[in-house]
């Protein structure tokens, strides 16, 4: 298959239209068969549920080329399951998990010419999502929904190596107790925009959100979970019902324990103990792990011993092992890589 003529090394993280997308419609209580289509635009009523009351959920994953030339995705079954949880919380119909994975495979296959070559650092980002599409004016769930999957090639997250970032403790809350912090819904992002624009304006790369009930515990950033490394090399991640269960973070905890023999803990992490950790990282599909060098709490700086030049040594090991598994250099646990072709 002939690849598209794209400057893979210099791709940014933006939308580039690809050839095909998958669409399935839910009407009269059931999903239709679904199909790949050419049209990248959606026509819907001015009163569509998604436009009025933000009834929409999404997923984010990537396809990439392994060293031996296979196109794969990473643990798509977990994205499928997470979308079920998201949909249920917003009173949306569930898109069957096997059909989700099949839709992702079909869409990537149809856009294989856009999957960046091995070694470029670029990937094909995959965006499955679902939204209420029929007119809704009284507040209630829509009756009709659309499920779609599109892909877009994106560049390496870190050009020229991962430099540690500086984050600030946010004055805004991301998620309420018993709210929607644990699901992947656009509404969580809409309300985080003001917080991230404010953080950027103040010279920070990201926000650290604390639990909104007590403001004593570390939750996550707008789009990535935290891991911390203790001075005696334990991997610690916050346990909370109001953070989004990152697939990258869950995979890193597994790798830490089963590949690197490290002790792992998922527990409450109090902000007061952040100053005692040796390393800190943010976990998500886009970057796998972004190292954090500094946390600033209203002018008070916490500088991790790993510094501002490079990832901490344990974070680096976790990063190398997980990306090694993803790229096929290191044997993956059963079922982690879904080979597309
Ligand atoms: C998507 C997302 C993450 C990262 O999850 P991955 O499955 O690792 O990509 C973390 N936090 C939030 C709020 C997210 O939306």
């Amino acid at each position: 298959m002939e690849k598209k003529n794209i400057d893979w090394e210099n791709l940014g993280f933006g939308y580039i239209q690809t050839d095909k997308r998958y669409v399935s419609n839910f009407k009269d209580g059931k999903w239709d068969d679904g199909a790949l289509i050419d049209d990248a635009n959606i026509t819907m009523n001015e009163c569509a549920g998604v436009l009025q009351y933000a009834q929409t959920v999404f997923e984010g994953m990537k396809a990439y080329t392994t060293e031996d030339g296979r196109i794969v995705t990473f643990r798509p079954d977990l994205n499928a399951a997470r979308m079920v949880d998201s949909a249920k919380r917003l009173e949306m119909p569930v898109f069957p998990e096997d059909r989700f994975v099949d839709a992702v495979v079909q869409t990537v296959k149809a856009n294989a010419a856009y999957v960046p070559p091995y070694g470029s650092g670029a990937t094909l980002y995959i965006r499955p999502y679902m939204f209420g599409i029929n007119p809704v004016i009284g507040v209630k769930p829509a009756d009709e929904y659309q499920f779609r999957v599109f892909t877009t090639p994106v560049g390496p997250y870190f050009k020229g190596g991962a430099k540690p970032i500086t984050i600030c403790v946010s004055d805004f809350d991301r998620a309420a107790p018993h709210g929607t912090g644990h699901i992947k819904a656009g509404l969580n992002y809409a309300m985080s925009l003001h917080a991230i624009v404010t953080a950027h304006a103040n010279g920070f790369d990201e926000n650290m959100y604390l639990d909104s009930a007590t403001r004593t515990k570390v939750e996550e950033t707008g789009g990535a979970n935290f891991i911390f490394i203790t001075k005696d090399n334990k991997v610690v991640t916050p346990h909370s019902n109001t953070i989004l269960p990152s697939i990258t973070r869950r995979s890193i905890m597994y790798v830490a324990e089963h590949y690197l023999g490290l002790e792992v803990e998922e527990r409450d992490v109090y902000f007061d103990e952040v100053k005692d950790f040796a390393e800190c990282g943010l976990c998500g599909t886009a970057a796998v792990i972004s190292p954090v060098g500094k946390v600033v709490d209203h002018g008070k700086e916490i500088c991790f011993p790993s510094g501002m030049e490079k990832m901490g040594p344990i974070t680096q090991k976790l990063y190398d092992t997980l990306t090694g598994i993803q790229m096929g250099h290191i044997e993956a646990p059963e079922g982690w890589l879904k080979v597309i072709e």
Side-chain angles (χ1 to χ4, degrees), residues 82 174 184 189 220 222-225 244 246-248 283-285:
R82 195 167 64 185
R174 193 192 84 88
K184 212 162 174 78
Y189 280 78
E220 61 171 322
N225 286 181
L244 195 279
S246 157
I247 293 163
T248 314
C283 311
T285 293

Side-chain angles (χ1 to χ4, degrees), residues 67-272:
E67 192 167 20
D68 59 1
R70 295 172 300 167
I71 293 176
V72 303
T73 59
F74 185 69
R75 310 187 76 179
D77 51 319
L78 298 189
N79 296 92
R82 195 167 64 185
M83 196 179 216
V84 168
D85 295 339
S86 299
K88 284 182 177 165
R89 180 64 177 78
L90 294 194
E91 291 294 334
M92 303 168 85
V94 161
F95 195 73
E97 291 173 52
D98 54 336
R99 285 200 58 195
F100 176 105
V101 174
D102 177 58
V104 165
V105 169
Q106 282 192 46
T107 314
V108 173
K109 250 189 198 157
N111 296 297
Y114 292 92
V115 179
Y118 173 76
S120 64
T123 57
L124 186 71
Y125 187 76
I126 307 165
R127 170 53 56 88
Y129 61 117
M130 189 168 125
F131 51 93
I133 198 167
N134 66 297
V136 176
I137 193 72
V139 177
K140 65 175 167 68
D143 304 307
E144 296 173 13
Y145 294 86
Q146 188 164 96
F147 170 86
R148 286 177 91 97
V149 184
F150 72 78
T151 59
T152 186
V154 295
Y157 196 81
F158 298 113
K159 296 202 170 95
K163 280 275 178 202
I165 59 170
T166 301
I167 64 178
C168 64
V169 176
S170 183
D171 287 327
F172 300 100
D173 291 328
R174 193 192 84 88
H178 316 290
T180 56
H182 60 299
I183 63 164
K184 212 162 174 78
L187 56 89
N188 291 330
Y189 280 78
M191 61 111 230
S192 76
L193 295 175
H194 180 59
I196 192 64
V197 168
T198 304
H200 288 165
N202 292 330
F204 301 108
D205 298 300
E206 264 298 344
N207 281 305
M208 171 186 273
Y209 291 105
L210 302 180
D211 75 294
S212 54
T214 70
R215 289 188 158 257
T216 57
K217 290 181 268 186
V218 176
E219 292 254 300
E220 61 171 322
T221 68
N225 286 181
F226 279 104
I227 52 162
F228 297 98
I229 314 295
T230 64
K231 287 181 177 142
D232 56 357
N233 295 346
K234 249 185 239 159
V235 185
V236 178
T237 193
H239 174 80
S240 163
N241 296 327
T242 49
I243 67 179
L244 195 279
S246 157
I247 293 163
T248 314
R249 185 257 302 162
R250 285 183 268 164
S251 304
I252 285 168
M253 297 305 277
Y254 183 91
V255 161
E257 188 175 359
H258 295 96
Y259 281 65
L260 300 177
L262 299 169
E263 240 181 278
V264 297
E265 285 178 355
E266 186 173 350
R267 59 163 170 85
D268 286 346
V269 175
Y270 287 88
F271 182 71
D272 281 348

Side-chain angles (χ1 to χ4, degrees), residues 34-48:
L36 291 168
I37 64 163
D38 293 325
D39 192 355
N41 294 305
I42 301 169
T43 302
M44 67 176 88
N45 186 270
E46 62 191 353
C47 196

